[in-house]
Amino acid sequence: MPSILFLITFISLLVSANENIVYKDNNFTNDGYRSKIYRSPTPTQTSFAKVVDSQDILKLKKESENLVIVNVDPLDMDGSTFIQAKPHDGIVNSIWLPNVGYGQIDEMTTRYLVKNLNLAMNNNSNTIFLFYCKIDCWMSWNAARRASSLGFKNILWYKNGIETWKFHKLETEFLHPKTF
């Protein structure tokens, strides 16, 4: 009987400490950002962002004028210029901030993220930021976590990504990255 109690306690601790365990994985930086194997199963919840689904986003798009939708899919660069070789689908009215979801970003990329989030906020402290990329992509998780750590509030994370959005036949448009 004690072994069953131990097993139940252990599983409970494992589930409640899911994010802390993930941070210790060698796929993460010392400060807790995913830095390898970005396309893999992601957590179902976070401490820094509310996880939303497609229906939540549709409701927010109708009800909130303060919603800023941020696509963080990566993109190759030449110096400080993004190289967009093909069209890139995103949720309608998204801003595309490539490369801000990598596990480690330099100071220039951090300034790029902060500048564009501040511009999108337009001095409105009630702004809601929704981060997404692809399904099971840690880059949107990283970007949402980073925005929260930089002091931005009202962070949402669409972990199901653009593929799920398209699967539901929801409206998309071609995005162009915000310039550096």
Side-chain angles (χ1 to χ4, degrees):
M1 190 67 161
S3 62
I4 292 174
L5 183 57
F6 171 78
L7 185 59
I8 291 170
T9 304
F10 178 74
I11 290 171
S12 298
L13 288 172
L14 210 97
V15 169
S16 66
N18 183 31
E19 284 189 33
N20 294 328
I21 290 170
V22 169
Y23 294 160
K24 295 178 176 143
D25 186 310
N26 68 359
N27 291 315
F28 288 79
T29 62
N30 289 336
D31 53 350
Y33 292 94
R34 180 76 174 216
S35 61
K36 300 178 199 169
I37 313 172
Y38 292 105
R39 294 296 301 273
S40 62
T42 53
T44 56
Q45 60 185 4
T46 76
S47 60
F48 52 84
K50 179 182 176 195
V51 178
V52 294
D53 62 21
S54 302
Q55 293 305 312
D56 294 328
I57 297 169
L58 289 172
K59 184 177 179 186
L60 277 166
K61 285 177 70 117
K62 285 182 183 175
E63 295 176 0
S64 177
E65 295 178 3
N66 304 322
L67 180 64
V68 174
I69 305 171
V70 184
N71 181 291
V72 300
D73 280 321
L75 190 58
D76 289 336
M77 295 184 79
D78 182 8
S80 62
T81 304
F82 290 111
I83 303 167
Q84 185 175 0
K86 59 184 180 178
H88 181 75
D89 278 338
I91 297 171
V92 172
N93 296 322
S94 295
I95 60 172
W96 184 15
L97 303 179
N99 305 345
V100 300
Y102 280 115
Q104 295 179 320
I105 62 174
D106 59 23
E107 190 175 315
M108 185 171 85
T109 307
T110 301
R111 283 194 310 266
Y112 167 76
L113 172 63
V114 170
K115 174 187 85 172
N116 281 290
L117 293 183
N118 279 325
L119 285 170
M121 274 179 70
N122 197 23
N123 294 317
N124 182 346
S125 62
N126 294 320
T127 300
I128 301 166
F129 293 101
L130 168 69
F131 291 88
Y132 77 99
C133 54
K134 297 184 177 0
I135 193 168
D136 281 334
C137 181
W138 285 89
M139 288 196 174
S140 56
W141 184 92
N142 280 347
R145 185 172 189 271
R146 184 166 285 121
S148 176
S149 73
L150 291 167
F152 292 93
K153 307 291 184 212
N154 305 319
I155 307 293
L156 305 177
W157 176 42
Y158 182 46
K159 70 178 257 103
N160 295 331
I162 192 66
E163 297 94 341
T164 302
W165 190 261
K166 287 177 168 182
F167 175 80
H168 292 298
K169 298 183 181 358
L170 299 170
E171 191 176 6
T172 63
E173 66 182 357
F174 291 138
L175 302 180
H176 298 282
K178 293 286 186 182
T179 56
F180 245 84

